[in-house]
C-alpha cells in the first residue's frame, strides 16, 4: 500500500477518531505528526467537530501534546459561520453551548431564515426539533453542519451523530439540507487552497476513520488519495462501504505516516 502514497506533498487529517478519541491520543499520534512535518509534508486538520468552539478545540489539542497552529485547523463550525455571514442568515442554531460561543456576533433574532444543526446531544430534544420544523415550514433554509451517522467515545462506544436528526427534519419538512462540512467538496477545497495545493489534489492524502464522511464525497471527487485508519468509529469491513476502493487501510495514523515517510519520493 505504501506505493500508493508516494509523492505526497500534503495531508488532510481528521481529528476525532484519527488523532485522538475524546481525551486519549491514538498510538504514537503526537510523534508521528512531528515525523510527517519533518518529511516536508504540509498538514491541515479538517474536522466535523461541532460540540465546541474552534478556540477550545485548539486548546484541547495543544493540551494533548499536538503542535499545531489555529490557522491550520479547518472546522465545519467555521464553515457554517462563513455561510451564515455570506447569506445574512438569522439562524436558529442547534448547537452545544461551547459551540455557540463562536456565534455571539451573529444576529439570531426571529423570524429565523435558517436552521443550522450540528452535533448537540443536550439540545436535540422534541421541543427544539419541532421549533426547527416550524421555522422550516415558514421558509427557513436547512443547513446541516455535517450528517455523520455516529461517533465514538474513548471507550469505543458508538453514539448517534447529527445525521439522523438532519434526515428527520428533511423528511418532516420536505426540504433538502445543505451540508457545509465533510464530505462536501468545497470544505476540502478551502484546506487545499490554504496549502497551495488546490491544483494538485492528487498529491494530497486524506486520512480518517470514517470511510464515508472523511473519505467519500468531495475527497473522492477531487481525486485525493484516501487512507482509512482502524481507530475511532471504524468497524471491521467499513472499507467495503466505499463506492470506490480506498487507497490504503492502516491500523493507526502512525502506521500511515510510517508508510508515507518510507516512500523514496518523499
Amino acid at each position: 500500500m505504501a506505493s500508493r502514497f508516494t509523492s505526497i506533498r500534503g495531508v488532510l487529517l481528521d481529528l476525532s477518531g484519527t488523532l485522538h478519541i475524546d481525551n486519549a491520543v491514538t498510538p504514537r499520534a503526537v510523534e508521528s505528526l512531528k515525523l510527517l512535518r519533518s518529511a516536508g509534508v504540509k498538514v491541515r486538520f479538517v474536522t466535523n467537530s461541532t460540540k465546541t468552539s474552534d478556540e477550545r478545540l485548539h486548546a484541547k489539542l495543544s493540551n494533548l501534546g499536538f503542535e499545531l497552529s489555529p490557522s491550520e485547523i479547518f472546522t465545519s463550525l467555521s464553515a457554517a459561520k462563513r455561510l451564515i455571514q455570506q447569506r445574512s442568515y438569522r439562524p436558529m442554531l442547534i448547537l452545544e453551548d461551547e459551540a455557540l460561543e463562536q456565534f455571539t456576533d451573529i444576529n439570531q433574532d426571529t423570524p429565523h431564515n435558517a436552521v443550522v444543526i450540528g452535533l448537540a446531544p443536550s439540545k436535540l430534544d422534541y421541543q427544539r426539533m419541532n421549533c426547527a420544523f416550524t421555522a422550516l415550514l415558514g421558509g427557513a433554509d436547512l443547513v446541516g453542519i455535517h450528517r455523520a451517522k455516529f461517533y465514538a467515545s474513548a471507550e469505543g462506544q458508538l453514539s448517534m451523530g447529527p445525521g439522523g436528526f438532519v434526515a428527520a427534519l428533511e423528511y418532516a419538512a420536505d426540504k433538502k439540507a445543505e451540508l457545509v462540512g465533510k464530505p462536501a467538496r468545497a470544505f476540502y477545497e478551502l484546506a487545499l487552497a490554504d496549502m497551495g495545493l488546490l491544483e494538485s489534489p492528487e498529491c494530497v492524502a486524506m486520512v480518517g476513520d470514517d470511510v464515508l464522511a472523511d473519505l467519500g464525497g468531495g475527497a473522492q471527487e477531487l481525486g485525493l488519495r484516501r487512507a482509512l485508519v482502524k481507530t475511532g468509529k471504524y468497524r471491521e469491513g467499513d472499507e467495503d462501504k466505499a463506492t470506490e476502493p480506498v487507497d490504503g487501510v492502516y491500523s493507526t495514523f502512525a502506521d500511515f505516516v510510517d508508510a508515507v515517510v518510507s516512500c523514496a519520493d518523499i
Side-chain angles (χ1 to χ4, degrees), residues 143-183:
V143 178
I145 298 185
H146 67 94
R147 63 186 310 152
K149 294 180 179 179
F150 47 78
Y151 64 98
S153 68
E155 295 76 29
Q157 179 180 346
L158 296 182
S159 295
M160 187 175 179
F165 297 94
V166 173
L169 288 174
E170 287 181 317
Y171 178 76
D174 195 22
K175 182 168 290 191
K176 186 70 174 176
E178 180 174 359
L179 301 178
V180 295
K182 294 179 297 184

Side-chain angles (χ1 to χ4, degrees), residues 16-31:
S16 179
T18 301
L19 294 188
H20 71 95
I21 304 170
D22 200 4
N23 291 315
V25 176
T26 57
R28 295 192 296 122
V30 172
E31 301 86 345

Side-chain angles (χ1 to χ4, degrees), residues 15 47 49-61 73 75-78 81 95-104 119:
L15 290 174
T47 176
S49 175
T50 63
K51 291 173 66 176
T52 188
S53 67
D54 291 4
E55 183 178 352
R56 287 177 180 266
L57 177 61
H58 177 259
K60 175 179 180 175
L61 294 168
I73 304 174
T75 71
S76 54
L77 206 60
S78 58
K81 184 173 182 179
L95 298 169
E96 291 293 345
D97 291 341
E98 288 189 356
L100 287 172
E101 294 173 3
Q102 197 158 325
F103 296 84
T104 55
L119 178 59

Side-chain angles (χ1 to χ4, degrees), residues 37-93:
R37 291 189 191 273
S38 69
V41 179
K42 297 180 179 181
V43 178
R44 296 295 183 272
F45 306 88
V46 289
T47 176
N48 276 342
S49 175
T50 63
K51 291 173 66 176
T52 188
S53 67
D54 291 4
E55 183 178 352
R56 287 177 180 266
L57 177 61
H58 177 259
K60 175 179 180 175
L61 294 168
S62 296
N63 289 337
L64 288 175
F66 294 105
E67 297 178 3
L68 72 170
S69 165
S71 64
E72 294 178 312
I73 304 174
F74 289 78
T75 71
S76 54
L77 206 60
S78 58
K81 184 173 182 179
R82 187 180 299 109
L83 182 71
I84 289 168
Q85 292 170 325
Q86 289 172 344
R87 298 185 182 174
S88 299
Y89 279 147
R90 298 182 310 278
M92 175 184 179
L93 298 170

Side-chain angles (χ1 to χ4, degrees), residues 4-21:
R4 299 186 185 184
F5 291 95
T6 57
S7 304
I8 290 294
R9 295 164 55 195
V11 171
L12 302 181
L13 286 175
D14 172 52
L15 290 174
S16 179
T18 301
L19 294 188
H20 71 95
I21 304 170

Side-chain angles (χ1 to χ4, degrees), residues 1-6 8-14 18-19 27-28 32-33 35-36 41-43 203-208 215 225-230 247-263 266:
M1 289 183 184
S3 62
R4 299 186 185 184
F5 291 95
T6 57
I8 290 294
R9 295 164 55 195
V11 171
L12 302 181
L13 286 175
D14 172 52
T18 301
L19 294 188
R28 295 192 296 122
S32 294
L33 179 59
L35 179 61
L36 190 61
V41 179
K42 297 180 179 181
V43 178
C203 295
V204 179
M206 174 66 214
V207 186
L215 309 181
R225 281 183 262 184
R226 300 170 297 138
L228 180 65
V229 293
K230 295 183 175 183
D247 297 295
V249 181
Y250 299 89
S251 294
T252 65
F253 161 66
D255 292 321
F256 163 79
V257 173
D258 289 344
V260 169
V261 299
S262 68
C263 294
I266 289 293

